[in-house]
């Protein structure tokens, strides 16, 4: 079984490029060039240098001793929370801004829901001195004021999407419209392992530095390069794709994907796509997504903004369908408690997204000598108000 993208842009039956005709030249230019560019020694050198000096990589692989003691197994945390800007998203935006420059682009667009990807994009645009336009639903702009302020401070223009439900999917529509109107000078930075081919594969490759480092770091800790389990939370699926990438074809490595169950899988307020989703087309690719009988995308819900997405990337739809990955759905409540537990046991305040991954230990028993590597995708600073309100701190 192949778990990577094939030459037609598919992971099994998922993926492809379902885009308006007028977007074809932009996507095709990227498709024809992305692998060639990524293989250039100069590109690799610049990418790796920035990951090291600007992002602060390699991120540590930390043995969480007290957490491991509590669950009687061996838990390692891959510390993406220590990256510049506080999460894994910067790995991808650094890669894509370098790609945009190689393709001669001078203007960057992006869409953002909670604002995390908008901040990561505005950051690299400032770094490279490129114009940055971020589309964001009007409702999200009101909900995510600190991230809107960050983007503005970094020099980006934040454009409100005022149509429809005025949230992420409306912002995506605006970004696509912009790209159609500006095909020559503009690159569209997508923030997760989603979108039309080649985006899911390109984003996965930029994020694959996570599993590349895990292999080397685990040798130092455990004298072996493969853990028994890799675990990551899934919104669109970019931190997960990067964490799994170099283990996809290692049969002895079990893969666990953690989705947000929200108030409960059957509550009507959930983002557990693997349970609730059906095959459909979102954001230019065929994948699993939450939709009504007549194919309207349903509004997802999760306490964590980064997991509040109605689909998963096509790689993950394939991992789910083939059974290569075990999918678990974690409620708001379980995630919040797991987040607080990490604070008390390890002195690390995790992003609520990452807290979902941490919550699996209450639901699944591991063997004492199992080696588990969990992607701590981000830090909890951005979620402080949520934690305060939830626990009445
Ligand atoms: C955005 C985000 C996620 C979800 O995005 P993926 O593409 O699924 O990785 C997870 N964790 C954090 C901290 C995020 O900011």
């Amino acid at each position: 079984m192949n778990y990577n993208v094939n030459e037609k842009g598919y992971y099994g039956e998922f993926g492809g490029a379902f885009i308006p005709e007028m977007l074809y030249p932009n996507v095709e230019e990227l498709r024809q060039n992305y692998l060639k560019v990524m293989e250039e020694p100069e590109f690799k050198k610049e990418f790796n240098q920035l990951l090291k000096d600007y992002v602060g990589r390699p991120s540590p692989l930390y043995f969480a001793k007290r957490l491991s003691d509590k669950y009687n197994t061996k838990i390692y945390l891959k510390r993406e929370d220590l990256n510049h800007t506080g999460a894994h998203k910067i790995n991808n935006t650094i890669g894509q801004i370098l790609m945009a420059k190689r393709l001669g682009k001078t203007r960057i667009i992006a869409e953002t829901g909670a604002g995390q990807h908008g901040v990561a994009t505005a950051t690299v645009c400032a770094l490279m001195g490129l114009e940055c336009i971020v589309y964001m639903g009007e409702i999200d702009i009101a909900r995510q004021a600190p991230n809107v302020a960050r983007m503005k401070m970094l020099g980006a223009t934040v454009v409100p999407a005022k149509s429809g439900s005025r949230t992420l999917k409306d912002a995506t529509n605006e970004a696509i419209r912009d790209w159609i109107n500006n095909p020559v000078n503009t690159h569209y930075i997508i923030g997760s392992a989603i979108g039309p081919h080649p985006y899911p594969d390109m984003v996965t490759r930029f994020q694959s530095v996570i599993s590349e480092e895990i292999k080397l770091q685990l040798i130092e800790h455990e004298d072996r390069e493969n853990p028994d389990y890799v675990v990551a939370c899934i919104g669109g699926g970019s931190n997960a794709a990067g964490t799994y990438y170099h283990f996809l074809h290692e049969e002895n490595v079990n893969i666990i994907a953690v989705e947000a169950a929200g108030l409960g899988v059957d509550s009507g307020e959930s983002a557990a796509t693997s349970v609730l989703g059906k095959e459909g087309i979102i954001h230019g690719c065929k994948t699993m997504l939450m939709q009504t009988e007549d194919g309207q995308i349903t509004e997802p819900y999760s306490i964590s903004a980064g997991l509040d997405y109605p689909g998963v990337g096509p790689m993950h739809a394939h991992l789910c369908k083939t059974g290569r990955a075990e999918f678990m759905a974690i409620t708001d409540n379980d995630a919040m408690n797991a987040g607080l537990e990490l604070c008390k046991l390890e002195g690390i305040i995790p992003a609520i997204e990452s807290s979902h991954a941490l919550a699996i230990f209450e639901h699944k028993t591991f063997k004492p000598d199992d080696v588990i590597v969990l992607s701590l995708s981000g830090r909890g600073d951005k979620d402080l108000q949520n934690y305060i309100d939830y626990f009445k701190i």
Side-chain angles (χ1 to χ4, degrees), residues 23 46 95 255 300 311 355:
L23 214 54
E46 200 175 351
I255 296 175
S355 298

Side-chain angles (χ1 to χ4, degrees), residues 246-259:
H246 291 284
F247 303 113
L248 286 170
H249 298 97
E250 303 279 1
E251 273 172 37
N252 295 330
V253 181
N254 298 289
I255 296 175
I256 298 181
V258 185
E259 292 185 303

